[in-house]
Amino acid sequence: MILDGKKIAAEIRAELREQIEALRAQGQRVPKLAIVIVGNNPASETYVANKIKACAEVGIEAVRIAYTSDITEQTLLTEIHRLNNDETIDGFIVQLPLPEHIRESVILSAIDYRKDVDGLTPENIGRTVQGMPSIISATPRGIRELLARYQIATAGKHVVVIGRSNIVGKPMAILLMQRAYLSLPNISAASFGDATVTICHSKTQDLAAICRTADIIIVAAGSPGLLTADMVREGAVIIDVGINRVEDISSPHGYKLVGDVDFENVSKKAAYITPVPGGVGPMTIVSLLQNTMQAYTSKQNKSL
Ligand code: NAD
């Protein structure tokens, strides 16, 4: 069965739209997101444009703050402090990657964790590890929501996470191993958490053997065709996070997007599988909107 991220994301956008319309109807201000973009990386431009479009669809106000790639780290830090103190902004993100001369860790650490709707500050990640209220990075949050809405429980399951990045692999593994009751209150459809987690990466030996013992495999490696059918046991759940451009002469662009999974063959064995595109990608974008809503709400009720 296909885990239809596109459809679930549309459902969540409709729910958010309703909540924001209700705020408007009560005469309250709507949530506002700022997106800082540095330089003119074409992939970043596309991601930012998609995020702004998604905000508009649900009624979140979005502002794009663009800087040329020669901005200094200090000037960017000043901008971060300004956004931290701007009462009209509920959350903001700094689109990555940043130019080489700007230290990503310095910039991310400067963001007020209550406005960190990408969930990338050391404070948010530390709070997540400790099971405290936190903002969770968009892709793991989206995967959690997708599993919950398909009522796929993770408790007691062996979950293999391939990839150890700060934005996907690490936070995903942390969430999966947390006690189930630490999950967000709106995740009630299935028990999320309480999984036995194995984290694999580029130095892992015999990835295939480890994957064959998994009930659920989450692949975020950026390596097309990495997960093949012989690595998957019958009835496993497969979440493909990878987004890779591969040459395709039949496409007008000359390329197509594929994940990290050999979808054609793995889908014959999997009980559930996400497609690329249309799986984790749309869930990631809608999770950013949910995080913005969370930042807005927690400002009113001080829940963060
Ligand atoms: P990354 O690119 O920072 O790192 C890749 C990780 O995979 C590393 O930890 C590495 O050790 C591991 N890895 C690479 N090759 C491997 C192999 N052969 N065997 C085992 N492990 C291997 O990770 P990232 O930023 O999490 O991105 C991973 C992929 O997910 C990329 O394709 C990226 O474009 C995609 N992505 C998609 C979304 C989405 O919304 N769908 C969001 C974020 C990232």
Side-chain angles (χ1 to χ4, degrees), residues 47 138-140 143 161-170 199-204 207 219-224 226 231 240-245 258-260 275-276 279-285:
Y47 290 137
T139 303
I143 293 170
V161 177
I162 308 177
R164 55 179 163 184
S165 70
N166 287 341
I167 63 164
V168 187
K170 276 188 217 164
I199 306 171
C200 298
H201 46 74
S202 52
K203 299 288 188 291
T204 296
L207 181 67
V219 204
S223 175
L226 174 66
M231 297 165 78
D240 190 354
V241 183
I243 302 179
N244 309 290
R245 274 185 182 195
V258 297
D260 291 347
V276 177
V280 175
M283 293 303 297
T284 296
I285 295 207

Side-chain angles (χ1 to χ4, degrees), residues 23-304:
L23 289 173
R24 224 188 269 279
Q26 291 157 17
Q28 294 186 45
R29 66 172 192 88
V30 299
K32 185 171 176 184
L33 171 74
I35 303 179
V36 178
I37 178 166
V38 181
N40 49 7
N41 176 328
S44 295
E45 291 283 3
T46 308
Y47 290 137
V48 169
N50 287 341
K51 289 169 188 176
I52 290 175
K53 191 169 143 235
C55 283
E57 266 180 61
V58 302
I60 290 176
E61 214 182 302
V63 284
R64 180 178 177 279
I65 303 171
Y67 288 101
T68 52
S69 55
D70 57 0
I71 186 176
T72 63
E73 189 177 278
Q74 192 50 50
T75 310
L76 190 55
L77 272 178
T78 307
E79 174 62 13
I80 302 292
H81 293 308
R82 187 187 69 74
L83 290 167
N84 283 342
N85 293 318
D86 184 336
E87 283 296 318
T88 69
I89 305 269
D90 298 290
F92 65 97
I93 63 171
V94 178
Q95 185 66 40
L96 302 176
L98 290 168
E100 297 247 308
H101 66 280
I102 300 177
R103 288 166 296 172
E104 203 175 285
S105 60
V106 170
I107 298 301
L108 294 180
S109 303
I111 300 173
D112 180 338
Y113 79 94
R114 288 162 297 209
K115 293 193 175 188
D116 166 32
V117 287
D118 260 346
L120 294 179
T121 57
E123 179 132 23
N124 263 321
I125 293 171
R127 291 172 72 93
T128 304
V129 171
Q130 295 194 353
M132 293 164 72
S134 63
I135 302 181
I136 290 155
S137 78
T139 303
R141 180 174 181 158
I143 293 170
R144 179 176 69 176
E145 188 89 41
L146 190 64
L147 290 172
R149 294 209 181 210
Y150 276 93
Q151 309 229 355
I152 298 170
T154 61
K157 301 281 171 60
H158 180 208
V159 185
V160 169
V161 177
I162 308 177
R164 55 179 163 184
S165 70
N166 287 341
I167 63 164
V168 187
K170 276 188 217 164
M172 189 75 251
I174 291 162
L175 289 177
L176 284 159
M177 54 141 244
Q178 293 286 23
R179 289 191 187 189
Y181 72 82
L182 295 175
S183 294
L184 280 184
N186 61 351
I187 306 288
S188 53
S191 134
F192 186 89
D194 281 340
T196 302
V197 185
T198 303
I199 306 171
C200 298
H201 46 74
S202 52
K203 299 288 188 291
T204 296
Q205 289 184 14
D206 209 351
L207 181 67
I210 296 169
C211 287
R212 277 194 287 270
T213 67
D215 302 302
I216 301 173
I217 304 176
I218 300 176
V219 204
S223 175
L226 174 66
L227 194 78
T228 49
D230 61 304
M231 297 165 78
V232 172
R233 78 176 180 205
E234 204 71 45
V237 175
I238 309 295
I239 307 291
D240 190 354
V241 183
I243 302 179
N244 309 290
R245 274 185 182 195
V246 295
E247 196 183 278
D248 178 15
I249 45 166
S250 66
S251 144
H253 312 287
Y255 70 86
K256 64 175 176 180
L257 292 181
V258 297
D260 291 347
V261 176
D262 170 8
F263 183 86
E264 194 192 334
N265 295 306
V266 172
S267 58
K268 291 176 188 147
K269 286 176 96 176
Y272 295 92
I273 186 166
T274 58
V276 177
V280 175
M283 293 303 297
T284 296
I285 295 207
V286 84
S287 298
L288 172 68
L289 306 181
Q290 289 180 299
N291 279 349
T292 305
M293 193 64 192
Q294 183 188 349
Y296 172 92
T297 312
S298 62
K299 202 159 142 189
Q300 332 281 324
N301 60 19
K302 307 251 177 287
S303 58
L304 267 177

